[in-house]
Amino acid sequence: MVERFDQVDKELKDIKKSQGHMEQDILVMKEDVDAIAKTVSRDARTLITHGRRITRLERSQY
């Protein structure tokens, strides 16, 4: 019986260790997604601004 408890205890420790690693990986992925989102947002704003400028230039030519 004691051996079984020791085995269960070891398995729980392994699960907690794995969970800790997964949490770290998830935090890294979240940081990556946030950085990508900021870049995409900035690029989208730039495209919108350039689109407006191009439209104004095209209208001013006629």
Side-chain angles (χ1 to χ4, degrees):
M1 190 72 148
V2 172
E3 290 177 17
R4 182 68 181 141
F5 283 131
D6 288 342
Q7 182 64 27
V8 169
D9 185 51
K10 182 183 179 304
E11 289 175 8
L12 284 173
K13 287 179 183 176
D14 290 343
I15 290 170
K16 287 180 182 181
K17 186 176 180 181
S18 295
Q19 182 182 9
H21 291 295
M22 285 188 288
E23 287 175 354
Q24 291 173 352
D25 291 343
I26 289 169
L27 288 175
V28 169
M29 286 188 282
K30 182 186 179 305
E31 290 173 359
D32 290 347
V33 168
D34 287 345
I36 291 167
K38 285 180 183 179
T39 301
V40 168
S41 178
R42 185 175 52 242
D43 290 347
R45 285 192 303 262
T46 300
L47 288 172
I48 290 168
T49 302
H50 286 308
R52 288 181 189 146
R53 289 177 184 165
I54 291 169
T55 302
R56 283 188 210 135
L57 286 170
E58 288 173 343
R59 288 181 183 163
S60 68
Q61 288 180 351
Y62 299 110

